[in-house]
Amino acid sequence: MSTVVLPGSFDPFTLGHLDLTRRAVALGHRVIIAVTHNPSKQSLLSIDERTTAIERTLATEDLAAHAEVRTLPRGLLVDFCREVGAGAVVRGLRSQLDLAYEEPMVRMNHHLAGIETIFLLTDAAYAHISSSLVREVHSLGGDVSDLLPAASLDALRTHP
Ligand code: PNS
């Protein structure tokens, strides 16, 4: 079983993220979900709220034997990958826009440490879901209950 890192802000962790986790596990990987602090993005949920929601989701979804959540508040992703013995990063692609966003990071991570990136094409059922849109819809009073695992929804609801 090889270890892969699924990094992201996860603000909040969505059904799309959950699907990626399940699919990476189904490919035989041990998945470490790395909750990162992205200085260029202002977060709604605290790191603790995000990691707790992901932990609860992994337990509920019977994924805890193959996936775990870790905090990565500072530092390079490639250093974290080395620390946990991961040779690859997993990311989801919803569209070509995502690919354009990912490409320089993929190249930089490979340049820095030879870390590969495995892309999984987002299932069409989740291709419209992004954490930023979930936050926006929620903040404007919209219903996001069918876009998130229950634990993420609970966390979001503490931030009306
Ligand atoms: O879900 P996001 O916020 O789009 O994820 C972006 C993320 C976390 C993958 C990216 O910001 C990242 O890798 N951060 C870790 C810091 C780092 O290594 N930066 C250099 C990347 S080339």
Side-chain angles (χ1 to χ4, degrees), residues 42-98:
Q42 175 139 25
S43 62
L44 175 66
L45 304 179
S46 70
I47 294 256
D48 275 357
E49 288 172 318
R50 286 179 265 161
T51 52
T52 301
I54 296 168
E55 250 164 27
R56 282 182 53 199
T57 303
L58 295 178
T60 308
E61 299 293 325
D62 229 8
L63 284 165
H66 305 284
E68 64 190 81
V69 59
R70 298 273 295 268
T71 301
L72 186 70
R74 294 277 182 267
L76 284 173
L77 180 62
V78 293
D79 289 339
F80 179 77
C81 288
R82 277 201 195 106
E83 187 189 312
V84 298
V89 165
V90 172
R91 294 282 282 175
L93 286 184
R94 288 164 299 192
S95 69
Q96 291 179 5
L97 288 180
D98 278 352

Side-chain angles (χ1 to χ4, degrees), residues 7-10 36 38 41 75-78 91 101 105 108-109:
S9 307
F10 305 117
T36 60
N38 186 338
K41 291 184 181 176
L76 284 173
L77 180 62
V78 293
R91 294 282 282 175
Y101 170 66
M105 294 194 287
M108 184 57 75
N109 288 336

